[in-house]
Amino acid sequence: MQTEPPLLPRGARRTAAWCAVVLLVAGVGALAIWLCVELSTAVTPVLLALLGTALLGPLHRRLVKMKVRRSLAAALTCVALVAVVGGAGYVVAAVLVDSGDQIIASLKEAAKDLTDRFGAAGTSLDDLASNGKELFGKFGGTAASGLLTGVSVVGHLFATAVLALFLTFFFLRDSHLAAPLVRALAPGATGPQMEVFARRAFGAVEGFMRGTTLIALIDGIFITVGLLILRVPGALGLGALVFVGAYIPYLGAFISGTVAILVALADRGFVIAVWVLGVVLAVQLLEGHVLQPVIQSRMVRMHPAMVMIAITSGAAVAGVLGMLLAVPIAAAAFGVISELRDRYAAGSAPPDASPSDPSDPSDPSDPADPSGSS
């Protein structure tokens, strides 16, 4: 009996199947993002705590190896985090507040010079600098009229930070229970595979946090030394700002570098500001051509275009916080994709496949850690 030929050719059927898969994945992803936005009050502290756990995991594991109890080790690690973040935030805020009037005055003087040399070319900048205090005064009046709203926002941010800190403590203390939990929640016999994927994703996040922190520290030290040599006021605070801004790739470096140049312009003049610009550019070139390839070569690396797309998407979804979380989340996704690609290239792994080899840098587990987790 002769069968009828298929309505669509084989290529068209495969294309339709892949389109259906892509639409299904996109729909699930959109639903997940919508739920995260709607439940941001609970989701944000969890994501921040995961980033903190990825960053502080090596210190916690080292303390555990030194026979410190897990609870005490987690508490000491969180105290260290509060001390570093709080100190850096205080120094950054202090230098920005102290230099605000100087920056406005310097912009006004620079605008006058431009007006004298190029005529009307500097008029708009002169007007902006002249009206700077008036604009700040209006902004202050608006902020004062909405004082209750401002207090509410500050209270919300403080509550989020405190909750994230407590969650970081619990994540660090109970990290040895993460692998059994993943296996228990995985459907059917997919527990080992889900554990491998979870380790690969968390390993990518941990690698990103480690590499970014080390690069931020080097950038901050180099720029601080350059500012001290040029005798720019608030060099330590500006270096701390560079360190903090490095966690938002590209945009953070641009903002912190601009602030350093404006402070130099305000206090030391145009020539020193140009030298500060040279220092910032030299450090950024060192980061892009040396530090990034060497330090982060062992983690999941993404093309700069993908990083910019992730930052833009994060900003559209959750503002500044989304910009901070976008790249680590994208790194975790690329870690899972890399694991799938490796498995596809090597053939399907057996159902009882063990997690990645401890020597694999993408595996966050420490071979000497009996917990085998991060």
Side-chain angles (χ1 to χ4, degrees):
M1 181 177 180
Q2 186 176 4
T3 58
E4 296 183 2
L7 182 62
L8 295 175
R10 179 182 178 87
R13 295 199 304 271
R14 296 186 62 179
T15 302
W18 276 111
C19 289
V21 171
V22 170
L23 289 175
L24 179 61
V25 172
V28 173
L31 178 60
I33 293 175
W34 178 79
L35 288 175
C36 289
V37 172
E38 292 296 320
L39 303 176
S40 59
T41 304
V43 173
T44 300
V46 173
L47 293 178
L48 293 176
L50 288 175
L51 293 184
T53 304
L55 178 61
L56 302 173
L59 176 59
H60 179 262
R61 292 197 295 269
R62 186 174 295 275
L63 292 175
V64 171
K65 289 179 185 178
M66 297 169 60
K67 307 302 181 182
V68 180
R69 296 182 59 182
R70 299 189 67 90
S71 297
L72 180 58
L76 293 175
T77 305
C78 291
V79 169
L81 174 66
V82 172
V84 173
V85 174
Y90 174 79
V91 173
V92 170
V95 71
L96 293 181
V97 170
D98 293 340
S99 304
D101 291 338
Q102 292 180 339
I103 292 174
I104 293 176
S106 178
L107 287 176
K108 184 176 180 180
E109 186 65 27
K112 288 183 177 179
D113 293 340
L114 289 175
T115 303
D116 294 338
R117 294 185 182 184
F118 302 103
T123 303
S124 59
L125 183 59
D126 186 27
D127 293 340
L128 178 60
S130 300
N131 297 328
K133 288 189 175 296
E134 181 181 355
L135 293 175
F136 281 124
K138 291 181 179 179
F139 176 78
T142 303
S145 64
L147 180 61
L148 293 178
T149 303
V151 171
S152 176
V153 171
V154 172
H156 175 72
L157 293 177
F158 179 77
T160 300
V162 171
L163 180 56
L165 182 63
F166 277 106
L167 288 175
T168 301
F169 168 79
F170 289 119
F171 288 171
L172 289 170
R173 188 194 67 178
D174 300 329
S175 58
H176 60 293
L177 303 177
L181 178 63
V182 171
R183 287 175 175 266
L185 295 178
T190 62
Q193 287 83 356
M194 295 301 297
E195 181 183 350
V196 171
F197 293 146
R199 286 183 181 274
R200 191 66 179 263
F202 190 80
V205 176
E206 190 176 57
F208 169 82
M209 295 300 294
R210 284 188 193 179
T212 301
T213 301
L214 183 56
I215 292 174
L217 182 61
I218 295 175
D219 288 353
I221 291 174
F222 282 176
I223 290 183
T224 300
V225 171
L227 295 178
L228 288 174
I229 293 175
L230 296 172
R231 292 183 296 173
V232 176
L236 295 179
L238 294 172
L241 180 62
V242 171
F243 176 82
V244 174
Y247 286 95
I248 302 178
Y250 304 112
L251 184 60
F254 173 77
I255 294 175
S256 59
T258 301
V259 173
I261 295 169
L262 289 177
V263 172
L265 182 65
D267 189 82
R268 301 282 289 145
F270 179 77
V271 176
I272 299 298
V274 173
W275 277 101
V276 172
L277 174 62
V279 170
V280 172
L281 292 178
V283 172
Q284 293 305 316
L285 289 175
L286 175 67
E287 174 186 338
H289 293 83
V290 178
L291 299 181
Q292 288 280 358
V294 172
I295 294 177
Q296 293 189 341
S297 60
R298 302 181 67 189
M299 61 167 282
V300 177
R301 299 187 61 194
M302 295 181 292
H303 192 275
M306 296 301 298
V307 174
M308 294 302 297
I309 292 174
I311 294 175
T312 305
S313 302
V317 173
V320 176
L321 184 62
M323 296 168 61
L324 177 65
L325 298 175
V327 180
I329 292 175
F334 270 79
V336 174
I337 293 173
S338 298
E339 180 67 26
L340 290 172
R341 185 180 63 247
D342 295 343
R343 284 171 171 257
Y344 181 80
S348 58
D352 58 346
S354 58
S356 303
D357 188 275
S359 61
D360 187 352
S362 64
D363 184 4
S365 62
D366 192 327
D369 185 2
S371 67
S373 64
S374 300

